Amino acid sequence: MSAPPSGPAPAASSSGLDPGRAARLAGEVARRDIRTRWMLSLPAIAIVTAAAAGPLLIVLVYSFLTPGPYGNVEWRFSPDAWINVVLQKDIFDDTWQWADAHLRIFWRSLELSFLTTALTLVLGVPTAWFIATRNERTRVVWLFLITIPFWTNLLIRTIAVMELIRNEGVINSALIGLGLIEQPIQMMFTDFAIALGMTYVYLPLMVLPVYASIEKLDFRLVEAGYDLYASRRKMFLRIILPLVKPGIIAGSILVFIPSLGAYVTPRVLGGGKNLMLGNLIELQFGQGRNWPLGAALAITLMAMVMVALLYYVHVTGRGRRWHG
Amino acid sequence: MHDMAVEARAVEARAVTKIFGSDDSAEVTALDDVTVSIRENEFFTLLGPSGCGKTTLLRLIAGFDHPTRGEIRLHGEDISHLPPYQRRVNTVFQSYALFPHMTVAENIAFGPEMLGQPRAEVARTVDEMLGLVRMEEFSARRPEQISGGQQQRVALARALAAHPRVLLLDEPLSALDLKLRKEMQIELKRLQHETGITFVFVTHDQEEALTMSDRIAVMNAGRILQIGAPREIYDHPAERFVANFIGESNLLRGELGVVTSATGTVTLSSGVTLSASVPDGAVRAGAGRTSGQTSGQTSSQTLVNVAIRPEHVQLAASPDAGTLSGRVENVVYFGTDTLYHLRLVTGEPFTVRMQNTRDGSPDARIGDTVGVSIRAGVAQVLQD
């Protein structure tokens, strides 16, 4: 960076230049400085524009256009797509009604995402605690085992879950074989199947950040707590939980966001019936041939994710005060 | 030691052994058959180099670890296997271990709250403790917002707020700079005096131990070598390790002569005979074997080490006036006093520390031959 210093005024006045000229010079230098900085950031700005802002803008513009008969859009303004996110026109009497199907899918997506987050918390926090309290060599092995699923394709992992829970799958065959049940339990194509699949797929995203914050935990604080008569429950609530909270929140966000937009898991394990937001959006761009509605739904989903992220920033912003 | 039976004992360790590492390959004996009795309201110090087992003993008393063998008693009750939260002892940690997400006041309130004290009483205790350690105006700060010395005081207040019967302090001053450490030493003594609580203090700093303690236990390699008042330990070290770890000592070889109760005669290798203090152990280990003597008086021909403090001896007025004589090899001037490093005629090194009184006391230069006068009772026979 060869940018000249932005405050040469004192130097100029001390060398006997008249103040007016010095100010003009300083202004010129400052302008050049700003120009240099812009030039240097140009590549980054170009990439962000082309790869992130541009496509998003196209999605936003499409959401305000009229759907074409065979997909794509017609360049005519229409607010219908946004209205159709939550409302629908009755086919017979043209009155506006709540779009029950959409609202159900929104609700199911939120419900299943919260459920998945809760399940990964219940399973992930003890797992992370277990790993973080092993000795250093064993820890590496456990962490390695946790990350192995990342190397496998998401579809294949989902199909593996299907193999377990379908009517002729491992669980039902075993239960029937043991004589515990006569008819297979219907697990496939239910919300349970989707929640199970997402919990399995996203569990590492919970374990890793929680592990990181437990590993940072100073266990002398735990000793201090026991020394000061804390019961195990009080110890967890008053000392451990507040200190590992940033990790728990990070893990929850990391699980919640992809759950909300999940596509493959509800598609495979929920069949065609139990749609989630991701499937609904895909539907509009495929069979539905309503790209503006798909675009509007996509932006709605993004807004929901943004709210979750802002909450995260808000909470960890406070937490960072004592986490260096 | 028999008179201690009638005294109140705050903490007792009976034949405590602690072995770390369950697989035989990595077994470490941190404490080896340690027995110690700490009195009520006493400022008791465990002193020793790092790895000597002093912190392990403290952790056994606190309940963070449990003895492999032997027992720990608190006011007569066996607490060896009780968890920390079932013992009325509290710890001031070396790292302070203040809860970073709580304010100073919340840290101090933690113990009383966990003990289930009512809200008003907790608030009163916190105020009282803040006053005791003079931290009133910092009650709303977080630990990271106050200095190391202040954190130290909060750690003390937090431990005292739980009203322990015994306060354990694990090298609490080691992280402070010298000036602050001196202040806190006085502060700690004041707190112990005001609260009347038994303090068990762990340190590797001999000066700290000497200035603060009622009694000191000197530890090395998992064993307690000597227990006694600071003056007793300094003036009458029982073993070579104690003599060298606390202060400096000249060590000379000699033959133990006649021993009458606690004193005896020692003939040094130069042929000079001195009168010296003899600890119980040395009599037992050395002359005790001879039989047919009247009780309390024994004699034998045992080789022993004799310790003589550099400041307990003086340069004699003339080379042949003293008990010993040697050549001056080095002179180190310290302001208040001067160290003379001598080589005795026997070849043994010997140091004399002379106070610089400016009243014409004997002076010597490198190469001079000088005499050293040793008063009776200054020499100390060691057990090993």
Side-chain angles (χ1 to χ4, degrees), chain B residues 8-12 38-41 73-76 166 198:
Chain B
R9 289 166 180 176
V11 182
E12 272 179 285
I38 299 167
R39 296 170 196 160
E40 190 78 70
N41 303 338
R73 286 176 169 267
L74 182 68
H75 295 282
V166 175
T198 309

Side-chain angles (χ1 to χ4, degrees), chain A residues 209-324:
Chain A
V210 174
Y211 162 81
S213 65
I214 294 175
E215 201 223 357
K216 268 196 300 190
L217 186 74
D218 182 354
F219 278 87
R220 286 171 298 193
L221 296 178
V222 176
E223 283 192 345
Y226 277 135
D227 190 60
L228 294 162
Y229 312 110
S231 61
R232 292 176 76 92
R233 205 177 69 88
K234 281 274 163 58
M235 172 76 71
F236 182 73
L237 292 177
R238 294 282 307 270
I239 295 168
I240 294 167
L241 202 57
L243 291 174
V244 302
K245 201 167 79 178
I248 287 178
I249 291 170
S252 300
I253 295 288
L254 283 178
V255 171
F256 185 78
I257 289 175
S259 297
L260 206 54
Y263 171 72
V264 169
T265 311
R267 179 74 190 267
V268 173
L269 298 175
K273 303 188 296 180
N274 302 42
L275 296 187
M276 284 180 68
L277 263 173
N279 311 99
L280 183 63
I281 293 167
E282 188 265 350
L283 204 60
Q284 306 312 321
F285 287 97
Q287 293 164 308
R289 288 179 192 162
N290 191 344
W291 289 21
L293 179 58
L297 286 168
I299 290 170
T300 309
L301 171 64
M302 207 176 78
M304 289 162 80
V305 168
M306 285 290 275
V307 169
L309 275 178
L310 285 174
Y311 171 75
Y312 170 69
V313 169
H314 172 69
V315 174
T316 50
R318 268 188 328 194
R320 198 160 294 130
R321 275 223 308 262
W322 62 78
H323 265 276

Side-chain angles (χ1 to χ4, degrees), chain B residues 23-340:
Chain B
D23 47 339
D24 343 65
S25 59
E27 265 189 15
V28 177
T29 305
L31 287 176
D32 185 7
D33 195 26
V34 164
T35 296
V36 60
S37 215
I38 299 167
R39 296 170 196 160
E40 190 78 70
N41 303 338
E42 185 173 37
F43 197 119
F44 191 89
T45 297
L46 299 171
L47 172 67
S50 59
C52 72
K54 57 190 192 297
T55 295
T56 304
L57 182 54
L58 199 79
R59 289 176 62 83
L60 292 182
I61 300 171
F64 301 132
D65 288 311
H66 302 286
T68 311
R69 281 191 294 277
E71 60 181 36
I72 306 278
R73 286 176 169 267
L74 182 68
H75 295 282
E77 183 201 357
D78 183 3
I79 57 163
S80 313
H81 296 281
L82 290 184
Y85 50 87
Q86 284 175 17
R87 311 176 174 208
R88 292 311 297 265
V89 298
N90 291 106
T91 307
V92 177
F93 294 86
Q94 184 171 14
S95 59
Y96 314 144
L98 295 177
F99 305 125
H101 56 297
M102 296 183 196
T103 63
V104 165
E106 285 166 348
N107 264 283
I108 298 173
F110 192 82
E113 272 174 26
M114 293 300 121
L115 284 170
Q117 279 184 13
R119 205 176 271 266
E121 205 185 320
V122 172
R124 208 167 48 240
T125 308
V126 170
D127 284 344
E128 187 194 330
M129 289 305 147
L130 282 170
L132 193 66
V133 297
R134 295 166 188 151
M135 287 289 292
E136 292 98 334
E137 66 257 58
F138 300 99
S139 65
R141 299 268 190 98
R142 287 190 193 282
E144 58 168 25
Q145 293 168 325
I146 55 178
S147 72
Q150 290 168 334
Q151 288 180 23
Q152 163 69 76
R153 294 225 287 275
V154 174
L156 258 168
R158 184 180 68 175
L160 287 171
H163 297 301
R165 303 182 73 174
V166 175
L167 185 72
L168 308 175
L169 302 107
D170 185 10
E171 306 218 21
L173 308 181
S174 61
L176 305 179
D177 61 51
L178 187 68
K179 190 168 167 289
L180 211 50
R181 196 154 69 223
K182 297 277 181 212
E183 282 174 29
M184 281 308 294
Q185 286 176 7
I186 295 163
E187 185 91 355
L188 273 179
K189 264 312 259 191
R190 177 181 72 84
L191 281 172
Q192 199 256 335
H193 195 72
E194 281 179 24
T195 57
I197 294 170
T198 309
F199 276 35
V200 181
F201 186 86
V202 160
T203 185
H204 63 264
D205 185 331
Q206 44 121 349
E207 193 190 312
E208 203 165 274
L210 291 174
T211 54
M212 299 175 75
S213 320
D214 293 324
R215 285 195 307 152
I216 299 170
V218 185
M219 296 186 69
N220 190 37
R223 293 191 310 117
I224 291 183
L225 303 181
Q226 190 175 3
I227 301 174
R231 183 173 285 270
E232 199 178 319
I233 296 231
Y234 188 85
D235 285 348
H236 302 292
E239 295 191 22
R240 187 167 14 174
F241 179 84
V242 180
N244 277 327
F245 190 72
I246 301 175
E248 289 164 62
S249 288
N250 291 302
L251 292 177
L252 300 173
R253 297 289 285 168
E255 251 171 36
L256 194 58
V258 181
V259 178
T260 314
S261 65
T263 55
T265 56
V266 180
T267 308
L268 301 179
S269 42
S270 58
V272 180
T273 299
L274 294 173
S275 108
S277 303
V278 184
D280 299 348
V283 181
R284 238 181 289 118
R289 267 175 277 125
T290 53
S291 56
Q293 300 284 331
T294 52
S295 65
Q297 187 176 341
T298 50
S299 79
S300 80
Q301 300 291 301
T302 316
L303 274 176
V304 290
N305 279 307
V306 178
I308 300 170
R309 297 285 185 194
E311 71 276 15
H312 288 170
V313 295
Q314 272 168 331
L315 292 184
S318 65
D320 38 318
T323 322
L324 302 169
S325 76
R327 264 169 60 88
V328 179
E329 290 199 322
N330 202 2
V331 179
V332 186
Y333 178 74
F334 276 104
T336 54
D337 40 33
T338 305
L339 275 188
Y340 296 92

Side-chain angles (χ1 to χ4, degrees), chain A residues 78-272:
Chain A
S78 160
D80 286 358
W82 281 100
I83 294 169
N84 281 326
V85 169
V86 289
L87 295 173
Q88 63 188 7
K89 209 178 245 177
D90 193 279
I91 318 169
F92 302 109
D93 55 12
D94 275 9
T95 54
W96 289 99
Q97 294 171 330
W98 290 110
D100 289 343
H102 288 184
L103 293 176
R104 255 204 312 280
I105 290 170
F106 270 102
W107 180 243
R108 176 187 293 123
S109 298
L110 279 172
E111 215 176 28
L112 283 173
S113 301
F114 276 118
L115 181 65
T116 304
T117 310
L119 286 172
T120 50
L121 265 174
V122 169
L123 296 170
V125 173
T127 308
W129 183 270
F130 172 83
I131 299 172
T133 49
R134 296 310 97 185
N135 70 43
E136 219 149 311
R137 258 181 311 155
T138 345
R139 247 187 270 167
V140 177
V141 177
W142 283 109
L143 282 178
F144 176 71
L145 291 175
I146 290 285
T147 48
I148 278 186
F150 282 134
W151 308 352
T152 318
N153 184 287
L154 173 63
L155 192 58
I156 291 171
R157 279 186 285 159
T158 308
I159 288 170
V161 174
M162 188 174 90
E163 257 329 289
L164 285 176
I165 62 171
R166 68 195 175 93
N167 288 359
E168 302 79 28
V170 177
I171 292 172
N172 274 319
S173 318
L175 289 176
I176 292 171
L178 287 168
L180 292 171
I181 52 171
E182 280 169 16
Q183 292 299 310
I185 301 168
Q186 178 65 44
M187 288 183 281
M188 277 299 284
F189 314 129
T190 62
D191 283 356
F192 164 79
I194 300 175
L196 179 74
M198 293 203 299
T199 302
Y200 164 61
V201 166
Y202 298 133
L203 188 58
L205 297 178
M206 178 63 80
V207 172
L208 293 176
V210 174
Y211 162 81
S213 65
I214 294 175
E215 201 223 357
K216 268 196 300 190
L217 186 74
D218 182 354
F219 278 87
R220 286 171 298 193
L221 296 178
V222 176
E223 283 192 345
Y226 277 135
D227 190 60
L228 294 162
Y229 312 110
S231 61
R232 292 176 76 92
R233 205 177 69 88
K234 281 274 163 58
M235 172 76 71
F236 182 73
L237 292 177
R238 294 282 307 270
I239 295 168
I240 294 167
L241 202 57
L243 291 174
V244 302
K245 201 167 79 178
I248 287 178
I249 291 170
S252 300
I253 295 288
L254 283 178
V255 171
F256 185 78
I257 289 175
S259 297
L260 206 54
Y263 171 72
V264 169
T265 311
R267 179 74 190 267
V268 173
L269 298 175

